[in-house]
Amino acid sequence: DQQVKQNSPSLSVQEGRISILNCDYTNSMFDYFLWYKKYPAEGPTFLISISSIKDKNEDGRFTVFLNKSAKHLSLHIVPSQPGDSAVYFCAAYSGGSNYKLTFGKGTLLTVNP
Amino acid sequence: GAGVSQSPSNKVTEKGKDVELRCDPISGHTALYWYRQSLGQGLEFLIYFQGNSAPDKSGLPSDRFSAERTGGSVSTLTIQRTQQEDSAVYLCASSTPPRGNQPQHFGDGTRLSIL
């Protein structure tokens, strides 16, 4: 049972354009969400997070939006750069377990020069 | 380095053998986690250690899997009588005590291949 879903296995965008990566979840107990970025043969690197009491969090070129009623979050990267090419994982903590992360399967982002 | 260190980076072994995977967390991080990523899947939680508390082993897939954390630092994940379905990347992460949802910091993983 996939509680965190990233329905797009891959996404390709042009350098300088916006990248939008989507994530849906089914568990209403999730109250904190994180995005991780992963390059081949490396571990995931924390990128940005958002608490369920907010609907937006911004950090430089990266913005995460949360729509609780739709159980949907998205990561926007503006402007996209070739170095952003990586697999992006959406992950969530539930209120009852603030250490056990539940991950989506990831989306491979390719930013073309 | 200052990050989470895992060894070996790659391990190939025959079905039925035992394997040990090592994780050295970031200095000062009291929380340590093991995950695994099978091909085409997301990361799957295996086990969590926090200080001297009893570990949460709820994610271990079978009793062939076990983990220890000695001295509150280095951890070893052991898989006995390996099976082909154990082939995956095993990732270790560490964090400060998980109050307020601190991000977990990952090592580069051990790629385990069972022949």
Side-chain angles (χ1 to χ4, degrees):
Chain A
D1 178 28
Q2 196 76 18
Q3 296 187 66
V4 176
K5 300 178 184 179
Q6 294 178 256
N7 292 319
S8 297
S10 63
L11 175 68
S12 183
V13 298
Q14 286 299 118
E15 181 178 6
R17 297 291 188 103
I18 184 171
S19 295
I20 301 176
L21 298 118
N22 293 304
C23 177
D24 297 294
Y25 62 96
T26 58
N27 188 342
S28 57
M29 294 297 291
F30 288 148
D31 62 358
Y32 199 82
F33 303 89
L34 304 89
W35 285 93
Y36 281 83
K37 173 179 174 180
K38 185 181 182 302
Y39 293 118
E42 295 185 9
T45 302
F46 169 70
L47 198 55
I48 192 169
S49 61
I50 188 166
S51 165
S52 60
I53 63 173
K54 297 187 176 181
D55 55 18
K56 177 182 174 181
N57 188 26
E58 191 172 352
D59 184 0
R61 296 185 298 114
F62 303 91
T63 303
V64 56
F65 296 92
L66 175 63
N67 182 334
K68 279 187 65 176
S69 61
K71 294 192 175 69
H72 176 82
L73 61 156
S74 60
L75 174 68
H76 293 210
I77 307 174
V78 183
S80 302
Q81 300 173 353
D84 296 330
S85 298
V87 176
Y88 289 78
F89 290 99
C90 174
Y93 280 122
S94 78
S97 164
N98 64 349
Y99 56 82
K100 193 182 296 186
L101 277 173
T102 301
F103 283 83
K105 292 185 179 183
T107 296
L108 173 64
L109 173 66
T110 302
V111 180
N112 300 303
Chain B
V4 176
S5 177
Q6 290 188 246
S7 61
S9 54
N10 285 283
K11 177 74 177 177
V12 180
T13 193
E14 293 180 347
K15 177 181 169 181
K17 300 284 190 183
D18 297 352
V19 295
E20 281 192 355
L21 312 179
R22 177 188 166 102
C23 172
D24 204 339
I26 292 171
S27 177
H29 281 188
T30 57
L32 186 147
Y33 318 77
W34 283 97
Y35 292 84
R36 75 174 175 182
Q37 185 183 15
S38 302
L39 192 63
Q41 302 297 313
L43 280 71
E44 172 192 6
F45 169 82
L46 297 177
I47 189 169
Y48 159 73
F49 295 91
Q50 168 52 40
N52 295 320
S53 303
D56 178 348
K57 304 179 181 181
S58 60
L60 294 179
S62 79
D63 59 8
R64 296 185 295 104
F65 288 72
S66 62
E68 289 186 336
R69 189 178 185 194
T70 53
S73 181
V74 171
S75 177
T76 302
L77 177 69
T78 301
I79 309 173
Q80 295 179 308
R81 305 180 303 281
T82 52
Q83 304 293 314
Q84 288 188 329
E85 62 263 27
D86 300 335
S87 296
V89 177
Y90 289 81
L91 290 152
C92 177
S94 70
S95 75
T96 54
R99 294 183 291 272
N101 300 304
Q102 287 88 347
Q104 298 174 17
H105 300 272
F106 286 84
D108 289 341
T110 294
R111 182 173 296 278
L112 177 63
S113 300
I114 310 298
L115 303 178

